[in-house]
Amino acid sequence: MNLHSTVGGPALAQQRHLVTEIPGPASRELLQRRQASVARGLSHVLPVFVTAAGGGVLIDADGNSLIDFGSGIAVTSVGNSAELVVTRVTEQVAHFTHTCFMVVPYEGYVEVCEELNRITPGAHEKRSALFNSGAEAVENAVKIARHATGRQAVVVFDHAYHGRTNLTMAMTAKNMPYKDGFGPFAGEVYRVPMAYPFRWPGGPAACAAEALDVITGQIHAQVGESRVAAVVIEPIQGEGGFIVPPDGFLAGLADWCREHGILFIADEIQTGFCRTGDWFACDHEGVVPDLITTAKGIAGGLPLAAVTGRAEIMDAVHPGGLGGTYGGNPVACAAALGAIETYAKEDLPAAARGIGEIMLPRLRDMARRHPVIGDVRGRGAMIAVEIVRPGTTEPDAEATARVARACHANGLIVLTCGTYGNVLRFLPPLVIGPELLREGLSILEDAFAGL
Ligand SMILES: *Cc1c(COP(=O)(O)O)cnc(C)c1O
């Protein structure tokens, strides 16, 4: 048995162990209190109440140990309560918890920016600014891009997810549950098709051949290049279905943006921090964005987000034009420094690639035996299967939900996603052990067999 030790908590046995039904009685009781006190608008993938987590497991209030294929949506990539995160946070929280960087600064904020400038794609001179959430980072990237270019239009994609604030709701594609009834939305946001090989008319080869021309042609005809401040794209779309564009698409889009003075903004909030087997997904093809937004995996679970980009673009904004009370909170910065050190020290890009090497062949094998699996895709530890009616591309959200429920009942946390709700996505912590990973895949396989 592997033991995952943490400074802050007890070593958690790295095993699945169910002692009650899921959710058990203690979680069900907490759920009743939750229903009486917490707004209905917040939902849960699985209502087990967590008491501890580490490595690849979550422990719930009933003492069940569940396998984690979600990482709190790609956040705890270094593991929960990762040792260096706990040490740094503990030290920082005892020294000071907040000054507001706009009132009096502190070294941790500067150090995180130095690290981001160093590890993000491109060797050019960079600057960073820190915020609290991914949506806030995307909002600020757009503010900066508009200010720097003097242009207003922002181009986003079908299936995009950029957050839940007003501007980012406008940028997010999917109506239900993210936008329905929450308008009016911010203006000057234009949506174009995504290079989605599985669903491109004519299929993956046509997608690789045409997507860039179709999309840039649409921007030309419907928006006009000279009006566009920025194109914002997730290098692998997350919430929209783990959509991987064809090789060369991102590089071609970045080149086209450069030709037209349009900023290329990579939203790497989900793909960043070693998730896809590189530090950032853009690294895979050597794409260098003008601005990059990061959050999720940045700080081992503490709320932190960033915009990093070309110094001349970032510094176009006047002093006082960017900020926020909590942005770059010192405790979150300490956590980020611990997390970034962990990614490097434990070579977690290699760990992510290793996870992909275990998962992809197993999932492709399942796809051969279970024709509801229409597509297997992803990179590193960001992997998904798209569920369809066999022999078609017609989405089957109902079967997807049934597979997810069967996994949950057997102690495996999996998440769904996709515009049509028919994608099962897998985002295990990068520190998960191979045995636990294989056991999780077996639970998934049983769930498909039981459909
Ligand atoms: C999660 C996510 C966001 C929003 O981040 P929050 O921290 O939830 O505001 C934005 N973009 C992408 C690609 C995401 O995955």
Side-chain angles (χ1 to χ4, degrees):
M1 182 194 308
N2 299 322
L3 287 181
H4 171 81
S5 71
T6 64
V7 166
L12 298 180
Q14 292 297 294
Q15 58 175 8
R16 179 180 69 117
H17 185 59
L18 301 186
V19 295
T20 69
E21 70 278 21
I22 303 292
S27 279
R28 290 201 303 271
E29 203 178 310
L30 284 161
L31 188 62
Q32 281 193 346
R33 277 173 53 199
R34 175 256 177 265
Q35 273 152 357
S37 59
V38 181
R40 195 173 67 115
L42 293 131
S43 65
H44 314 288
V45 168
L46 176 61
V48 296
F49 282 73
V50 171
T51 54
V57 298
L58 294 168
I59 312 298
D60 76 8
D62 291 283
N64 297 298
S65 176
L66 298 98
I67 302 176
D68 182 13
F69 274 14
S71 302
I73 320 186
V75 169
T76 52
S77 299
V78 292
N80 254 289
S81 302
E83 190 173 339
L84 294 175
V85 173
V86 172
T87 317
R88 296 244 196 182
V89 164
T90 308
E91 219 167 84
Q92 179 60 48
V93 84
H95 282 107
F96 65 95
T97 48
H98 174 84
T99 66
C100 185
F101 193 70
M102 304 181 304
V103 177
V104 286
Y106 37 90
E107 186 179 354
Y109 189 116
V110 176
E111 223 178 323
V112 170
C113 292
E114 288 169 347
E115 288 293 293
L116 290 169
N117 297 349
R118 184 176 65 77
I119 63 181
T120 50
H124 52 280
E125 178 88 4
K126 295 175 202 156
R127 300 285 184 270
S128 289
L130 304 182
F131 304 98
N132 302 293
S133 69
E136 208 189 339
V138 173
E139 291 245 0
N140 278 279
V142 170
K143 279 170 65 174
I144 293 163
R146 284 176 169 159
H147 200 96
T149 59
R151 304 174 180 182
Q152 294 187 345
V154 175
V155 172
V156 294
F157 291 81
D158 282 340
H159 313 288
Y161 183 84
H162 297 292
R164 294 174 180 266
T165 57
N166 188 263
L167 173 60
T168 59
M169 273 194 291
M171 297 170 70
T172 289
K174 190 174 178 175
N175 178 54
M176 200 61 177
Y178 306 121
K179 302 168 75 164
D180 195 63
F182 297 139
F185 302 112
E188 287 303 308
V189 174
Y190 299 88
R191 191 171 310 286
V192 293
M194 177 59 184
Y196 186 169
F198 184 65
R199 295 193 175 278
W200 191 266
C207 183
E210 324 168 335
L212 185 63
D213 287 345
V214 168
I215 290 162
T216 54
Q218 194 159 318
I219 299 171
H220 169 76
Q222 298 185 11
V223 195
E225 291 88 340
S226 63
R227 292 216 300 121
V228 180
V231 169
V232 184
I233 189 164
E234 300 155 81
I236 297 178
Q237 286 183 319
E239 184 58 38
F242 279 31
I243 299 161
V244 188
D247 281 347
F249 173 77
L250 291 171
L253 185 64
D255 287 345
W256 179 85
C257 285
R258 198 167 309 116
E259 269 168 48
H260 295 283
I262 297 168
L263 301 184
F264 179 85
I265 304 182
D267 180 348
E268 291 237 23
I269 288 168
Q270 192 154 160
T271 50
F273 290 99
C274 309
R275 178 51 56 186
T276 63
D278 292 285
W279 272 88
F280 296 92
C282 280
D283 292 329
H284 183 70
E285 292 188 76
V287 173
V288 177
D290 297 302
L291 299 178
I292 178 170
T293 55
T294 53
K296 293 200 165 96
I298 194 173
L302 273 81
L304 189 70
V307 181
T308 299
R310 295 188 183 283
E312 66 278 15
I313 298 168
M314 295 294 293
D315 283 342
V317 178
H318 48 273
L322 303 175
T325 305
Y326 292 116
N329 167 273
V331 182
C333 284
L337 294 170
I340 293 168
E341 192 183 340
T342 306
Y343 286 116
K345 219 170 106 182
E346 308 284 332
D347 195 1
L348 294 185
R353 293 193 294 273
I355 288 170
E357 280 156 21
I358 290 176
M359 294 193 88
L360 282 170
R362 281 282 296 271
L363 293 169
R364 289 192 181 119
D365 180 57
M366 282 182 220
R368 277 190 287 277
R369 275 172 297 111
H370 303 289
V372 294
I373 302 177
D375 196 24
V376 177
R377 57 179 180 250
R379 208 155 67 220
M382 182 170 184
I383 305 285
V385 293
E386 177 154 1
I387 309 304
V388 294
R389 297 196 194 285
T392 74
T393 57
E394 204 186 314
D396 193 342
E398 221 264 309
T400 310
R402 281 207 305 275
V403 171
R405 276 199 301 273
C407 291
H408 298 163
N410 286 299
L412 173 67
I413 296 184
V414 294
L415 311 176
T416 60
C417 66
T419 301
Y420 315 110
N422 69 322
V423 178
L424 285 163
R425 59 170 150 176
F426 311 113
L427 294 160
L430 306 182
V431 296
I432 194 171
E435 284 164 37
L436 218 49
L437 189 63
R438 291 198 179 93
E439 188 178 355
L441 288 164
S442 298
I443 293 169
L444 180 70
E445 171 121 52
D446 291 346
F448 277 112
L451 259 184

